Amino acid sequence: MASAANVIKEASATDASSYTTTAQAGASGKGYVITVINSKTTTPETVTLVHSGGLNPVEILSVVGTGSNRRMTVFRALKTSGVSAGTFTADAGGVTQTGWIVIVDEVTDPDTSGTDGSAMVVQSASNDGSSTTASVTLASFGDPTNNLAWMSVMLNSNVAITEESGYTELADLGHGGPTRRGFSEYKVGEDTQPTATFTSSPWNAIGLELKAAAGGTPFTITPSGAITPAGSLVRATDKRLGGATTPAGSIVKAVASFLAGGSSPTGSLRKDVSKPIAGSISPTGALDLLRFFALAVGGSISPGGTLRRDSSKLLAGALTPAGSVRKDVSKTFAGAITPAGPLALLRFFAIALAGAIAPSGTLRRDVGKLLTGATAPGGSLRREIAKQLAGTAAPAGSLAKSIAKRFSGSVAPVGALATQVSAVVQLGRLWAVFARRVVAASVARRLRARGEARRARSEAADTRLL
Amino acid sequence: MALETLTVCSGPGWSISVVLDDTTREVKRVAWTNTSGLAITATLHRAAASRTVAVSGSGQVNVPAGYVLDEVADVGLAVLVRY
């Protein structure tokens, strides 16, 4: 939590064109709000402020009292490094002033961004009057909880000033000849109207909202030893589908049956051989007439005796006969045939070819081998089933790209962790960032290992289905 | 009657002045220049009355009677600067 404390408060009624503080202050990472009050019988000159320890004070606001004999200027200063304790010198540009008051308030845990404390000052306000209460009106605070309300007061007299309830007084001092008074106070949290009270006197006031460092008070853990990553950075990239997959259509079942076991033919191989004649036949010589004659018997046939039944049974089917035995029936005549009437002449003529057949070319042998025996598969039939999604996948949303960079190698700090408060803010933040990256890399590696295992299981399942 | 210009409030890149009667100390005008880019408002106030202006660029505004900067009457100029 941010806070403020006074580190220098000095007043002098000695005529001088500048004033250098006796006390020293200044440190890196601290914010400084410096109030300089200079007086003169006519309008006092504007003032510059320098620091011997490396700070670079920048003017915020300067007001001149209505009597035109006093000026109050407020400066800011802040450096995150290279600052050492030093004196502050206010300079009126060579013009003698009749009095000086310098108040240096130190802010712990301010917003250190920007230049010379520019981010530390959110807003400023001034006011003046002649009542017994000095006040300024600020706008609503950017952070009403952690930011500081700060106010300084200049009086045209040298009387004590009382801080507002809830405030901490930082400085209250003055000088005579001329009589002047300087004062500062602060509180943590929003107050859009800081006040301070005193006996009646013309007054000027300047108020500030001072921005606290984000996250309140930083505690920095600074590891001793060294961090030495091995190897080079490895970029890990994966892309994932955002949105959802919504299959359309219905599930299709695909079934296939395979014979398991082996084929074991029995018996021996049989060779079937045939030799067709190649070439052509070219008969020579003349044709001889060959005649056949047949005589047809006229009349009728009158079988005598009885019919005789001949029976045979044939097995249908193959290896495993199916169906029932079929009976074939035929009847043959017994007895004698006694033709009646005259025979009719029936003639057949045949003409024989004379000469010789002289095949040309050579004989060609056609050979084929046929397996005899039986195929006797062993084992049982096995059914394998796969289900596939039909339709289309229509993912909604856009692709999301996730990229991570991981350190390969290992981090091997040596020594013990040391706890340090606020002195090594930047180094501590770097360490915090690095630690977060190491943790993120470890998580990413575990997630990727799980993803690869899941993908391997999926591929194994696919292989079984195929 | 003579008028006196008094720069009563200033910062880097801006300043606010009052033009007043050097005898009665009554404010006649409020004048300003602001090239800082900061949002600044100025309010001249007294009991039960006030006059507010936005301090942007260069300009001035006449002030009604009654604003006396004599270190007795409770009259003042309130300025608010946002960074």
Side-chain angles (χ1 to χ4, degrees), chain A residues 173-269:
Chain A
L173 72 165
H175 61 73
T179 55
R180 299 286 185 269
R181 194 78 177 185
F183 167 89
S184 66
E185 64 179 3
Y186 94 103
K187 68 169 285 189
V188 178
E190 181 181 73
D191 182 7
T192 57
Q193 194 158 40
T195 62
T197 56
F198 38 83
T199 57
S200 179
S201 176
W203 54 265
N204 290 82
I206 294 176
L208 301 177
E209 178 191 355
L210 300 175
K211 188 176 182 182
T217 304
F219 287 87
T220 303
I221 297 175
T222 305
S224 58
I227 298 172
T228 310
S232 57
L233 285 174
V234 176
R235 175 181 292 177
T237 304
D238 67 304
K239 290 184 178 181
R240 289 166 294 150
L241 274 179
T245 300
T246 309
S250 59
I251 290 176
V252 175
K253 180 184 289 182
V255 179
S257 294
F258 300 92
L259 278 176
S263 179
S264 304
T266 60
S268 58
L269 288 174

Side-chain angles (χ1 to χ4, degrees), chain A residues 394-422:
Chain A
S398 57
L399 284 173
K401 179 184 289 183
S402 298
I403 298 176
K405 288 186 178 181
R406 291 165 296 126
F407 279 107
S408 63
S410 60
V411 177
V414 298
L417 289 175
T419 302
Q420 193 169 350
V421 180
S422 304

